[in-house]
Amino acid sequence: MNWYQQTWWTAFVLPAGVCAGVAWFGLLRHFSGRGRLLGSRRSAGLALSVVALMCGVAVGAGLLLPHLAKVPPAAVGFGMGVTALPRKKRDENTQPYVKLMTLGIAWLMERLEYRIHTDGLEWCEEFTDGMDQSTDLRLLAHDVRQFLLERHQQTALVKAITTAYEDALQAVDKALEVQTKTDQACQTHSRWDRREPTEQEAFECRSAKGEARARCKDLLLLAYRHGRKSERAAIEELRAKIVPDDAYRSRAVPSQRGWFGGTRNHR
């Protein structure tokens, strides 16, 4: 008997291997343009858990197929009838019965999608760390827009980039306007005689700057989701041009994560 004719190969290794390849390709397609499957240790662990669980289900189904003929027809009818019972619609979360029927795969996919989205937000937060001035945010928005338009030509993506860029510029202009208005209000009779901003004025300045930074991060999130690993050095240079290496916490770029969540910094 050849190695490929052995029971352990046909019953376990072959179905698990085929399922793993197809499942991984499906995950890549499903999360294309949404983030990075291996962007952090948590997302990598969840992605591998989904693949492993799918492989387990595939192997178990293959072993149980010969015994399906012994299942009572009444049990099959009951199972199918249960799926037709009325249920409340849930737009954001997977319905509990779906999670049960998929043996936890739907729940892991839901957690994986949330983790990938969070990875992108955390990366953008680190990338913009130290960019509190309106001029820095304006330069960031301009450079990221050019970076994206040079690499992506899809109509829908170009429209999203343009919209995010315009929103970022409007927010930056609003922050600059609020800051200028506050500075003028604090100026009294001479340039050396100034009062401190009131609590309301300080709140308005912080809110406007926070909104401008958030809109710039929306644009930067497009670069994270649609970018490639080979473009890492180019996106790092954008931040290095705006914030020098020693300008903020002695780190010019956010930690770049490797295939299995390891951090890498390129200087």
Side-chain angles (χ1 to χ4, degrees), residues 41 44 64 116 149 196 215 235 252 261:
R41 290 185 179 89
L64 291 175
I116 288 178
L149 292 180
E196 293 296 326
R215 299 289 73 78
I235 195 70

Side-chain angles (χ1 to χ4, degrees), residues 6-22:
Q6 296 179 5
T7 304
W8 62 270
W9 171 261
T10 57
F12 297 98
V13 178
L14 184 60
V18 173
C19 179
V22 175

Side-chain angles (χ1 to χ4, degrees), residues 77-138:
F78 176 79
M80 294 300 296
V82 168
T83 61
L85 293 177
R87 301 175 182 87
K88 295 181 179 180
K89 293 184 179 181
R90 303 190 180 204
D91 297 330
E92 298 181 357
N93 298 323
T94 305
Q95 298 183 13
Y97 82 95
V98 175
K99 298 179 182 179
L100 178 62
M101 291 179 63
T102 58
L103 303 179
I105 296 176
W107 180 81
L108 285 177
M109 287 288 291
E110 185 178 284
R111 297 301 303 170
L112 177 59
E113 187 168 358
Y114 172 80
R115 185 68 253 174
I116 288 178
H117 177 68
T118 305
D119 287 342
L121 296 180
E122 291 177 351
W123 187 85
C124 294
E125 181 67 26
E126 292 179 355
F127 196 96
T128 57
D129 206 358
M131 297 184 185
D132 297 324
Q133 301 298 323
S134 299
T135 54
D136 294 341
L137 295 176
R138 182 182 290 275

Side-chain angles (χ1 to χ4, degrees), residues 24 27 37-38 41-55 108 112 259-260:
W24 186 253
L27 288 177
L37 284 174
L38 304 178
R41 290 185 179 89
R42 291 183 179 180
S43 59
L46 286 170
L48 295 178
S49 297
V50 170
V51 174
L53 186 55
M54 287 182 175
C55 291
L108 285 177
L112 177 59
W259 285 102
F260 297 100

Side-chain angles (χ1 to χ4, degrees), residues 24 32 39 45 53 58 60 108 139 151 165 183 220:
W24 186 253
S32 177
L53 186 55
L108 285 177
L139 287 173
R151 290 163 174 79
Y165 175 71
D183 291 341
L220 188 61

Side-chain angles (χ1 to χ4, degrees), residues 153-194:
Q153 303 298 327
Q154 300 91 336
T155 304
L157 183 54
V158 170
K159 183 178 180 180
I161 294 170
T162 303
T163 301
Y165 175 71
E166 292 175 352
D167 292 342
L169 283 189
Q170 291 179 3
V172 171
D173 291 340
K174 178 64 176 180
L176 183 59
E177 179 183 349
V178 172
Q179 184 64 52
T180 302
K181 181 180 178 180
T182 301
D183 291 341
Q184 292 176 351
C186 293
Q187 190 74 38
T188 54
H189 300 287
S190 64
R191 59 179 301 183
W192 305 108
D193 186 13
R194 290 175 53 88

Side-chain angles (χ1 to χ4, degrees), residues 126-133 136 238-253 267:
E126 292 179 355
F127 196 96
T128 57
D129 206 358
M131 297 184 185
D132 297 324
Q133 301 298 323
D136 294 341
L238 297 181
R239 189 183 196 281
K241 292 178 181 179
I242 300 173
V243 181
D245 288 357
D246 56 349
Y248 191 80
R249 295 183 181 178
S250 70
R251 185 174 68 176
V253 297
R267 295 280 183 172

